[in-house]
Amino acid sequence: MEAIDTRTAFLRTKHKIKKEQTMQVRSQLMRYAAMLTIPLLVTSLLFGYLYFSDSSADEMQYAEVNTASGAIIRYELPDKSIVWLNSGSKLRYPIKFKGDKRQVELEGEGYFEVKADKEHPFYVNTSTGLNVYVYGTHFNVSAYSDDDYVEAVLAEGRVNVIVPGNQSEIKLDPGQGLLYNESTQQTSKSEIDIYEKTAWKDGKLIFRNTSLEDVLKKLSRHFNVDIQLHNLSGKKYKYRATFTRENLNQILDYLSKSASLKWKSEEPVQQKDETFTQKKIIVTLY
């Protein structure tokens, strides 16, 4: 007869039963977990969709375009309107126009070709509080922070200008411009030379009865240099000129032929943070 170790057989059988029970419990738990996970997943996806859909519906998302000093860029907005931004300008706009208005924020100078939409007016808001709105037309707005004024110029169609503190609107016809002085809060409307005001987008500089101070300020922006004027004589000069491909030295030489004017340039200097200062030009009027 074969000898049987009953104790060892009992322990082996008990271990096998315990292992099968453990596997049954684990299988049952996995079924419960699957039953709980599916609705939890569906609920999470539903809440996520509602959260992001509500956020996108309530919160307007914005983009910003900046023009480097000495550069001019052409940009297309979400509604297919076109804008040219002059040197040192910034435009903030929603990535998708919503509601009953198309609104952008401008710092600097921009020329706008607005796509016509009679049900959704296009607003250009400036930091001074002066706003320009149209339904579809071509116009120019200059609102640099270092200027004392904001200027709106109409090339085509019709423009409506809202002045800070004034409930009424000022309408412009083609060939008209509006100047708003921020410090005095005064406005003036006049007939202007459209091409003089908008030729910058074509890379041209046009001056018509322009003071020397304004000429140098535009040259400073156009060529990205720091031009400082020292008027020792106290005289006032105005210029009429058109520049297309001339460099800064050539333009300054031209200006010096009509006045007792001398200029010198100072090259950029490297600073402690390894950046360079802006090129400086000192203009002295004797």
Side-chain angles (χ1 to χ4, degrees), residues 243-260:
F243 300 107
T244 53
R245 297 183 177 87
E246 292 84 356
N247 59 41
L248 181 57
N249 291 351
Q250 291 172 326
I251 295 175
L252 290 174
D253 283 339
Y254 168 82
L255 297 178
S256 64
K257 291 179 180 180
S258 58
S260 181

Side-chain angles (χ1 to χ4, degrees), residues 207 209-220 227-240 251-252 254-256 258-262 283-286:
F207 303 112
N209 198 34
T210 307
S211 67
L212 178 61
E213 290 79 5
D214 287 341
V215 169
L216 295 179
K217 181 177 287 188
K218 290 186 177 181
L219 291 177
S220 178
I227 302 179
Q228 298 180 3
L229 174 63
H230 299 302
N231 190 345
L232 303 181
S233 67
K235 296 179 181 179
K236 300 293 183 181
Y237 290 89
K238 292 191 176 182
Y239 290 88
R240 179 182 179 87
I251 295 175
L252 290 174
Y254 168 82
L255 297 178
S256 64
S258 58
S260 181
L261 180 152
K262 293 185 179 180
V283 177
T284 305
L285 186 62
Y286 295 95

